[in-house]
Each structure stands twice: as C-alpha cells, then as structure tokens.
Amino acid sequence: MYKAGHGVRRWSSRLAVVALALLTLWVTGCTAYVLDVDFAQERLDAATPPLNGSYTVIQSFVCQRPNLCEIELLPAVYQTPGQGTLTLLLRSPAQNYNELARQSIDVAHIRHNVPLRFTFPPQSDSPGKAYDLVVEGTPGVRVGFWYNSVDAYGNGKLALNGGNIGDLRFTTRCRYDLPVM
C-alpha cells in the first residue's frame, strides 16, 4: 500500500546524508578537485642511464593551462632499483631558475614501468610559462627514465648531462577545484 509522503521522506533523508557527507569533507579540510591533462608526450624508444649521481636529466616544457600541479614520468629500473634517493625539482627559467618545488623519493618504492608522479602545489600562473624538470639521483640508484630519442615535443627538450637527446615520456597535469569549475 502506498503511503502519502513516503517518497518525499525517502528523498529528504538521502539529501540529508549527502549534505552531511559534504559538510564532513568541508570541516575536515578535504576538497574535491579534478586533475586534467595539460600535455602528454607518450612516445618512447630508449631509457636514460641510471641516475646514480653521474647523470642529471633536465626536461624543459611549456605549460598551456593554469594550476600546473603534477608531472608523471615512466621509470626504467635496471634489474633492481638499487639504494638511494631520486630528487625531482621544478624550476622556472623566467624566475632565474628558482626552485618552485622539490620531491625526494626513496628508490626502493619505485617499480619498473609504473608511472611516477611528482606532485606539488598548483602553479596558478602556469599558462604559457616555461619550466624545467630536473631529476637527479644519489650513488647506488639504478633507475632511469623512458624517453624518445627524437624531438617528439616541440616546446621543450631533454638534456642528459648537457647534451640534447630527445624528450622524456612525460605527462603534465593541472588541478581544478570543483567549486571553481
């Protein structure tokens, strides 16, 4: 038997649950956001040597959108990752190569062909801005990164110890908070 108002009560109780969930997220500081791909250079045909302190990788690129916040690379592990630390730096040639972000990663956590994400606070002024991604390792590291040996990305280049060798396999992402969208 149909009860008058039953559908309204069910709808209002669902709305109350959703409102409570959103309030909980807001109070705890959790925010919803979307990561959107800015650029993806997915071609690869070679791997850099292990970044064991003897080599430094620098990939230059130009961001197209605001709020650059992540760069994804594809590691190439030589037998085992070894021991040591990889350091990823984001810097801006327009700001005298000032360091904008840094992340250090214990290579024991890196797996062959499992994307590695370098995350940092959103760069609100990123549209049209040139950046350098610098990757360095300590002695004992046996991790390199996949790249394309030809110039696959026209707005930047990959330098290995100062020589241009192509472009890393990399993806840049920008962050958009849902209330802004």
Side-chain angles (χ1 to χ4, degrees), residues 25-62:
L25 288 174
W26 180 71
V27 168
T28 60
C30 293
T31 57
Y33 61 88
V34 172
L35 285 180
D36 193 26
V37 172
D38 175 56
F39 180 80
Q41 192 304 98
E42 298 177 328
R43 298 178 189 158
L44 56 92
D45 62 8
T48 67
L51 302 181
N52 58 10
S54 300
Y55 298 96
T56 299
V57 166
I58 302 174
Q59 173 69 54
S60 60
F61 66 95
V62 176

Side-chain angles (χ1 to χ4, degrees), residues 85-179:
T85 304
L86 278 179
T87 301
L88 297 98
L89 305 167
L90 180 68
R91 62 186 193 186
S92 171
Q95 297 175 340
N96 296 322
Y97 293 94
N98 286 339
E99 182 180 305
L100 303 173
R102 172 187 291 259
Q103 182 176 346
S104 294
I105 301 167
D106 182 343
V107 295
H109 301 291
I110 297 175
R111 300 288 174 254
H112 183 68
N113 287 341
V114 174
L116 178 69
R117 292 184 172 182
F118 173 28
T119 58
F120 42 88
Q123 307 293 306
S124 61
D125 62 343
S126 59
K129 190 173 181 180
Y131 292 95
D132 283 348
L133 168 65
V134 180
V135 186
E136 303 170 319
T138 58
V141 171
R142 300 200 34 81
V143 176
F145 290 92
W146 290 104
Y147 72 95
N148 192 314
S149 59
V150 297
D151 187 12
Y153 173 64
N155 289 329
K157 61 186 176 193
L158 171 61
L160 180 66
N161 283 359
N164 296 334
I165 61 170
D167 289 299
L168 279 176
R169 184 277 189 199
F170 73 105
T171 301
T172 58
R173 291 187 179 88
C174 298
R175 175 182 167 154
Y176 299 98
D177 294 328
L178 291 180

